[in-house]
Amino acid sequence: MGGSLNMVGYGLAAIGPGIGIGLIFAAYINGVARQPEAQGRLQSIAILGFALAEALAIIGIALAFVIQ
Amino acid sequence: MRCPGSTERTRGIALNVTGLVLRAAEGGEGGFEAPGPASFDLPPVFSVAGVGVTKPMLQLVLGAVLVFGFLYLAARKRAMVPGRLQFAGEQAYSGVRNGVGRDIIGSRDFMPYVPYLVAMFFFILINNWFAAIPFIQFPTFSRASMAYALAGLSWLVYNAVGIRKHGFLGYLKLQCVPSGVGVALLPLLIPLEFFSNLIVRPVTLALRLFANMFAGHLLLILFAVGGEYLVLHSDNWFYPVAGVAAWIMAIAVSFLELLVQFLQAYVFVLLNATYIAGALADEH
């Protein structure tokens, strides 16, 4: 089989951000369930946190393609 | 799982691992070319003075024209009782204005940045949605250079805003010296903060947009091309079934991508607003 070990490494590296994004949205859903009127304020914070956690996965996929 | 022949293997080295799944399925006889970064290198449509003009470049122009046209037509009448188009424009505008500008930058001084944020949001949104519009079907920002240019613009804006408000040294101090930290830690923290706030920010901003568009489009190509290969180029009765399943997955993924494309435009503008808010922040 062909292919590069980089991609396996990227798969492993994506576990961390995956768990992180899961935690962020779990907390967001919890917060909205407890206090539905806070949804507007929580939403932008949740998406901001999601973007920051996702940055790690994004750097990972870029490096997986760049480093040979 | 059969091992492919040696010619197949040499060809496979250049391909990425997404091809592995299909190569295992194809039974070793064929030449399935897995899509990779090379799938995004489109030939120039035409060339001006030796410089090739490619499809994503044309899409940038088309996107700008469409955004201008939509917002101009929606704002032209300014009727007291809005028509359908004006209503859509006002809803979209106020979503960015209140949901991003006012909530993040703060109600005191968000107004000067609203045109910038609104224009950027719609420009990115339409360019991302080009990936799903029939006959265009290519996300402009899956070319990294486009996303880097946009992030460079936002880097210039938030730094200029901060320098205008605090002066050059004051702005550097605001961005690089965290408050409430002991003097002993400062030599460690100042380079880190400088690196993180002034150098890495535009890079992650651009990479986030680029990599999301790139990965999403790559996934779609893989499902479409792989499905076609399984349906048309196999002798086993089961592979066409898997191919049709791949096509159905491609449709499902397209809808997921619509959401991702919207979310990335939103996140890009949200982070822009956050950076501007950070540059405007008073000493604390």
Side-chain angles (χ1 to χ4, degrees):
Chain A
M1 296 210 294
S4 151
L5 211 56
N6 278 353
M7 295 297 159
V8 180
Y10 173 61
L12 292 175
I15 294 175
I19 293 174
I21 292 170
L23 287 176
I24 289 165
F25 279 106
Y28 168 60
I29 292 167
N30 252 323
V32 175
R34 282 161 192 247
Q35 207 169 349
E37 66 271 18
Q39 188 186 11
R41 297 190 67 186
L42 290 181
Q43 190 169 12
S44 57
I45 304 174
I47 290 185
L48 195 66
F50 153 76
L52 295 179
E54 192 204 32
L56 300 173
I58 295 307
I59 293 171
I61 200 173
L63 292 182
F65 278 109
V66 167
I67 299 174
Q68 289 299 324
Chain B
M1 198 187 291
R2 269 168 286 174
C3 202
S6 62
T7 51
E8 169 67 11
R9 189 175 303 148
T10 50
R11 189 187 302 144
I13 287 171
L15 306 175
N16 62 39
V17 86
T18 43
L20 288 182
V21 182
L22 286 158
R23 193 146 333 133
E26 88 199 13
E29 103 281 14
F32 177 71
E33 295 276 349
S39 309
F40 291 81
D41 291 331
L42 301 179
V45 179
F46 59 90
S47 60
V48 179
V51 179
V53 175
T54 56
K55 190 165 133 185
M57 292 159 84
L58 293 175
Q59 284 175 208
L60 278 183
V61 178
L62 179 63
V65 170
L66 285 178
V67 169
F68 175 79
F70 169 65
L71 290 177
Y72 178 77
L73 287 178
R76 191 181 48 174
K77 274 207 199 130
R78 290 195 292 276
M80 199 61 133
V81 180
R84 214 174 284 162
L85 183 68
Q86 189 185 342
F87 181 72
E90 280 176 1
Q91 284 291 310
Y93 166 78
S94 69
V96 179
R97 184 195 122 125
N98 297 340
V100 177
R102 200 178 59 191
D103 285 1
I104 302 288
I105 301 180
S107 52
R108 192 159 51 96
D109 39 19
F110 75 104
M111 268 322 270
Y113 309 106
V114 167
Y116 167 69
L117 295 175
V118 169
M120 187 166 253
F121 174 73
F122 285 108
F123 184 63
I124 297 174
L125 183 67
I126 190 70
N127 272 300
N128 287 350
W129 274 354
F130 277 153
I133 294 175
F135 305 112
I136 299 180
Q137 285 174 324
F138 190 80
T140 315
F141 294 110
S142 64
R143 305 297 302 163
S145 50
M146 310 277 181
Y148 277 124
L150 216 53
L153 175 67
S154 87
W155 185 80
L156 286 179
V157 166
Y158 82 78
N159 283 324
V161 163
I163 289 173
R164 205 178 60 185
K165 169 141 189 200
H166 300 284
F168 186 70
L169 288 177
Y171 176 65
L172 270 186
K173 183 167 177 294
L174 176 76
Q175 289 285 35
C176 302
V177 185
S179 58
V181 176
V183 184
L185 270 179
L186 282 182
L188 190 67
L189 281 182
I190 288 177
L192 266 181
E193 289 284 307
F194 179 81
F195 190 67
S196 140
N197 286 348
L198 296 175
I199 297 174
V200 176
R201 260 183 192 180
V203 178
T204 53
L205 196 61
L207 275 182
R208 174 177 302 112
L209 180 60
F210 154 69
N212 268 291
M213 293 305 107
F214 178 83
H217 198 60
L218 193 64
L219 199 61
L220 275 184
I221 302 179
L222 180 67
F223 276 127
V225 177
E228 186 264 350
Y229 189 85
L230 286 175
V231 168
L232 296 181
H233 304 275
S234 62
D235 41 8
N236 187 319
W237 66 269
F238 178 71
Y239 292 156
V241 178
V244 171
W247 279 340
I248 292 171
M249 275 299 288
I251 295 171
V253 166
S254 305
F255 282 103
L256 179 71
E257 280 303 306
L258 278 180
L259 178 68
V260 170
Q261 285 148 6
F262 174 82
L263 203 64
Q264 285 310 314
Y266 178 70
V267 161
F268 197 95
V269 174
L270 188 75
L271 285 173
N272 255 306
T274 315
Y275 295 160
I276 291 174
L280 284 174
D282 294 316
E283 296 283 342
H284 27 239

